[in-house]
Amino acid sequence: MWLGPEEVLLAGALWVTERANPFFLLQRRRGHGKGGGLTGLLVGTLDVVLDSSARVAPYRILHQTQDSQVYWAVACGSSRKEITKHWEWLENNLLQTLSIFDNEEDITTFVKGKIHGIIAEENKNEQPQSEEDPGKFKEAELKMRKQFGMPEVEKLVNYYSCSYWKGRVPRQGWLYLTVNHLCFYSFLLGKEVTLVIQWVDVTQLEKNATLLFPECIKVSTRDNELYFSMFLNINETFKLMEQLANIAMRQLLDNESFLQDKSLPKPRKPLKNISALKRDLDARAKNECYRATFRLPKDECLDGHTDCTLWTPFNKMHIPGQMFVSNNYICFASKAEEACHLIIPLREVTIVEKADSSSVLPSPLSISTKSKMTFFFANLKDRDFLVQRISDFLQRTPSKKSCNSDREWKWNLADPGCEEVPELPSSSPLAASPTSALSNRPVNFCAGEVPTASQGLLKLFRRNSEELLGPKGAKEKMKEESWNIHFFEYGRGMCMYRTAKTRELVQKGIPENLRGELWLLFSGAWNEMVTHPGYYADLVEKSMGKYNLATEEIERDLHRSMPEHPAFQNELGIAALRRVLTAYAFRNPTIGYCQAMNIVTSVLLLYCNEEEAFWLLVALCERMLPDYYNTRVVGALVDQGIFEELTREYLPQLSEKMQDLGVISTISLSWFLTLFLSVMPFESAVVIVDCFFYEGIKFILQVSLAILDANVEKLLQCCDEGEAMTILGRYLDNVVNRQSISPPIPHLHALLTSGDDPPLEIDIFELIKTSYEKFSNLKADDIEQMRFKQRLKVIQSLEDTAKKSVVRAVSGDIGFSIEELEELYVVFKAKYLMSCYWGNNRAAAARRDQSLPYLEQYRIDMEQFKDLFISLTPWSCGAHTPVLAGRLFRLLDENRDSLINFKEFVTGMSGMYHGDLTEKLKVLYKLHLPPALNPEETESAFEATSYFTEDVTTEVSPFVSELDFCLHCESQETQEDKGRRNENGPEKEEKGTSPQDYRYYLRMWAKEKESKKETIKDLPKMSQEQFIELCKTLYNMFSEDPVEQELYHAIATVASLLLRIGEVGKKFSNRPVRKSEDCKANNSQDPVSEEESPTSEQSQNSAVEQQPQTDHEDKTCGDAQPEKTQQENQTLGDGSGEGQGSPLQLLSDDETKDDMSMSSYSMVSTGSLQCEDIADDTVLVGCEGSSSAARYGSTIDTDWSISFEQILASMLTETALVNYFEKKVNILQKIKDQKKVERQFSSSSDYELSSVSG
């Protein structure tokens, strides 16, 4: 590549001059290429260890003048070919011009200007994307691609200097982290280390401390454990590794997530020596943390954050923390975790202004909202810029403000007290909540008004209010009053100050009248609901009357959702539940419906109206419990792993016992998936849900640990899993809520409570208090870190399960061993995944459906199959190999969807690797018949036949009949027979209604039910053009074999023999062909032949039966003609039907003697060897010119045919051919080689691939 001219003082240091002229030098780096001795080894080592600015290419061109000691580097190259191209350009375009100049300074100025011009011209054509990355980084990326054989679509994220521990020896080198791979390269004193690991293969990432080094990173795969140390910034490296591995896991779990990660937002300010992709990944990590902290919608992107203080009026203090600004929100988080959190939606903001500075409020910023609240931020470093950014965002949100202003306004006016909302009746207990504001908006989900559209089911099914008058009612009133005081001091709605006081109130239980409102606020569901008005109603309308697998499952589970609660003992509650679940299934088809969603949703509907319950369900499934509710409940398994880890840390004495009993995996799924709603009395579990919406999964883990801690002694004495489950079941059954104003709902698990002693009741509030006292030091950030670690483990475990299931499913019918099948599955899956991230289109990712059986989840197309076939096949045919691969793909693709699954893939491979000579030849034979043989491959020869043959009927008959026959043998589908009847006119239609025809189909159906093993007699005959293609394949196949000449001699002998057999067979078949019309005329009067005709393809008992009963006797005369030819040929040639000796019986002894005595050269001239020289696009007519052109005017002989038995018998006479096809090939070695070739590893001492253009 051309370089902006750089000054070089010592041109000879570490470089060898290879070419020179008066103005330029071409130099090679010492140590590059062969030889070089100790100096070369040292230079190579220095280049790798010190990275010599990563731009030390092995070749360079310097500009020089005679009297100057200063040289200018103008070009460099990673290969001799590249640098020679530049050198020739300079010689051809500049030398003559430069010789005209008198002044050396003018020469140098001219060269510099010319080189700068070339670079500018090249940069014009480059994509703007590449301009974002700094020059040094682009050079490192180029070096990575050349070193590891990566395509241009593989993007480098960052690279680091580090040591890789190979045994006990550290190898200093460079670690390259790309989107899909971890790569490492080291070269020390002639020893080269090259590593390439796919992120999807990583099972564990850990930061470890060893004796030699305080910190190192351990990367585990299924096969290896790799250790890297001596990083300059190990935390940054490890964090980036985690991110990239996480993206890969998302790809395995859900392809769409991976595709979204490929289109990252553009950075505003490029940073030095950091790639755009690295900056974008950093921004993505910050966005995820920001959204999780403040429970914001998934599409919210952080714009920036700054340190500041917030004036809090409730305690008259300045709280230090950070302000976060995004497209739609201004948020604040205090440095002390529990001090204060604040979320201000921009849709609520009315005024943003700079207030006057004072000693109390330096550089203050005032933000006012519609709810008459004003927030003061102070100590802002760049207040003017911040105000401008917020103003810009405010200008972009007018439409959202206007469409929601009424609803927002009504809600926020109600801050001081509930009497101020005139739209609600005074008796409504929810007058002050966001639910009340929505309850006045009419929502017609069906033909008429639906009560659940405006209020929760608890209001509609209010029971006797005796409890409201007793002590429980008084307690509930006190709770409501506490919350009203809190609202007065801290604000109400989204803009509420959230402090430790808020958490205390939540722990004491949210009053029933406020539960729906506060769930919406704490979960963030309120934000999504007000920004998507009418969304739920539209979904309900669209999903009405639609049926799919999800709706069937929903219908099945509707009556299992809290059947003990009166609200779900009638159609009103059931219908509301159906609408919410169905609407969500249509919103998110990836999840659709999962068991346990019905239980959680039914509880949400008790306290919220339908729209609110829907948005709470969205928040649960998509943000708060990610990946919980899918077919493989990955999220719940991940949190189960975290629970096991926490148990080991906090309850070490119990952990081992629980592992032995296998209890944790059983309990955690039921606890986490339903938030304890299915295992605890409803009144108690709903308090757990209160705290969950405020704290997140941290609280569920905390309570789970408290439950185990309370039962440690009993659990340690358990003997089996059942006993442990009973102990925990009894404990949870007796967790009571003595403050609940609702009458107790019978709990299904109460049956577990037995024994003489009355059960000990546990107060839910005491349990929550204990959980905070003992386990409150759990941090949300730590849990996210643990989630990543467990996600790797869980998803890789699921992938291993999938592999075992697939291998077990296919192993019975395939000749490969379990080990070979597992290796093939890895290669097959890797090829599929490669198409997802290296393919130009994303169709491969789109066609993976997680709901399909494991065997069908990974499927490859023809191009991918060709790549695998070329690297794995034992039948290498040189340039002809892709053609053979395409034919095998068409043969395997039985359902014609242009995709094959793993079973179809290994079936095709097994046919080439396993079985005897007959089985392998049968596969090869089928590859040269339709549907494997593409009509286009023989189209040229086929068209030639139509030009030179006067009989029009023979133009299409051989191909059509062969195709129909082969399809019939392969799939045994009766639809093929229907197609033939439709093609061949009304006579066939009439025949289809006869009783004999029905009996025929009954027999066919019976045969389909049997496990039919295909025999060689079932194979159709091969026409001359197909035989020519077979010869061509065989010649290509033998071209690089060690015994190449013997094989050529053998195939020449066999091919010429078979050509003669076909000719002889044609002579015997001429007589019955001429009688075909008489046969056809007699068919309609012969009920026996009419009944038997469809099965005549398999009938080979005698020549007498076959003459009047051809395969398609009802077809036109021309169509029937070749079929009769084949039947006659097979009858006379096969004799008794034994295939191996039959071909020679067709020839007299003299003919046989003559043929076998021919020299190999004369045999070649009979037409078979010509196939070796045939190009893929050559008209096939010429292939058989010497054998039949003289008699048929260079046309394909449509009467000529040969059977599989005849080919097999002829092959068996040649030892070389038998040995070739019975030779054993180790597929594991092929797979190993394929992996190496795929990465294009450099294993030689020449660094052609390990260097880089500078």
Side-chain angles (χ1 to χ4, degrees), residues 879-946:
H880 192 64
T881 309
V883 177
L884 201 64
R887 291 176 188 167
L888 182 57
F889 183 88
R890 286 189 289 272
L891 185 67
L892 297 173
D893 183 21
E894 293 181 1
N895 60 358
R896 304 287 176 265
D897 64 350
S898 300
L899 296 170
I900 61 170
N901 62 28
F902 180 67
K903 183 172 184 179
E904 292 164 336
F905 169 71
V906 291
T907 301
M909 287 288 132
S910 182
M912 294 183 288
Y913 275 93
H914 298 286
D916 55 14
L917 171 71
T918 307
E919 292 300 316
K920 291 178 180 176
L921 279 179
K922 194 193 292 184
V923 173
L924 198 59
Y925 185 83
K926 284 182 184 178
L927 292 181
H928 296 83
L929 294 173
L933 191 70
N934 197 326
E936 295 170 4
E937 292 176 328
T938 54
E939 188 176 355
S940 301
F942 191 60
E943 287 173 359
T945 309
S946 67

Side-chain angles (χ1 to χ4, degrees), residues 368-519:
S368 301
T369 67
K370 298 173 186 175
S371 55
K372 303 294 187 285
M373 294 181 74
T374 302
F375 304 95
F376 289 100
F377 297 92
N379 294 292
L380 291 160
K381 290 178 183 174
D382 196 347
R383 185 174 59 162
D384 294 343
F385 175 76
L386 186 64
V387 170
Q388 185 59 47
R389 290 301 293 165
I390 295 173
S391 301
D392 292 344
F393 287 133
L394 279 170
Q395 288 173 4
R396 296 176 201 170
T397 55
S399 57
K400 289 184 180 178
K401 275 198 292 185
S402 60
C403 70
N404 289 304
S405 57
D406 287 343
R407 295 162 70 181
E408 303 282 343
W409 194 243
K410 290 173 191 173
W411 170 36
N412 286 293
L413 273 176
D415 270 348
C418 40
E419 302 81 28
E420 296 186 25
V421 184
E423 291 85 352
L424 293 175
S426 57
S427 60
S428 171
L430 274 175
S433 69
T435 44
S436 59
L438 285 173
S439 56
N440 298 296
R441 188 170 64 87
V443 182
N444 293 319
F445 296 127
C446 304
E449 180 71 22
V450 177
T452 49
S454 57
Q455 51 191 328
L457 287 167
L458 268 189
K459 283 190 186 179
L460 299 171
F461 292 89
R462 177 75 65 189
R463 265 95 29 108
N464 297 333
S465 55
E466 296 173 4
E467 298 287 354
L468 296 175
L469 305 175
K472 287 185 180 179
K475 182 79 173 174
E476 186 78 358
K477 287 287 183 189
M478 286 172 63
K479 280 187 189 177
E480 285 186 26
E481 189 56 34
S482 299
W483 275 99
N484 283 329
I485 293 169
H486 185 273
F487 291 149
F488 183 78
E489 290 183 3
Y490 296 86
R492 187 170 192 171
M494 282 310 300
C495 300
M496 176 199 302
Y497 292 98
R498 303 174 195 207
T499 65
K501 176 73 173 172
T502 315
R503 193 203 332 187
E504 285 175 23
L505 286 175
V506 172
Q507 286 174 28
K508 293 176 181 175
I510 298 174
E512 285 195 357
N513 291 340
L514 296 175
R515 194 160 265 150
E517 171 189 352
L518 293 174
W519 283 0

Side-chain angles (χ1 to χ4, degrees), residues 1213-1227:
T1213 62
E1214 294 293 334
T1215 308
L1217 292 175
V1218 173
N1219 290 342
Y1220 179 85
F1221 282 104
E1222 290 190 342
K1223 179 174 59 180
K1224 298 290 183 187
V1225 182
N1226 184 0
I1227 194 168

Side-chain angles (χ1 to χ4, degrees), residues 1016-1017 1100-1101 1130-1131 1133-1140 1142 1205:
I1016 57 176
K1017 290 177 185 267
Q1100 298 182 7
N1101 297 328
Q1130 190 166 345
T1131 303
D1134 294 350
S1136 62
E1138 296 296 321
Q1140 295 193 4
S1142 56
E1205 294 101 315

Side-chain angles (χ1 to χ4, degrees), residues 1147-1158:
L1147 303 171
S1148 68
D1149 291 344
D1150 292 337
E1151 285 175 313
T1152 308
K1153 207 177 292 179
D1154 285 344
D1155 187 70
M1156 297 306 289
S1157 64
M1158 294 169 70

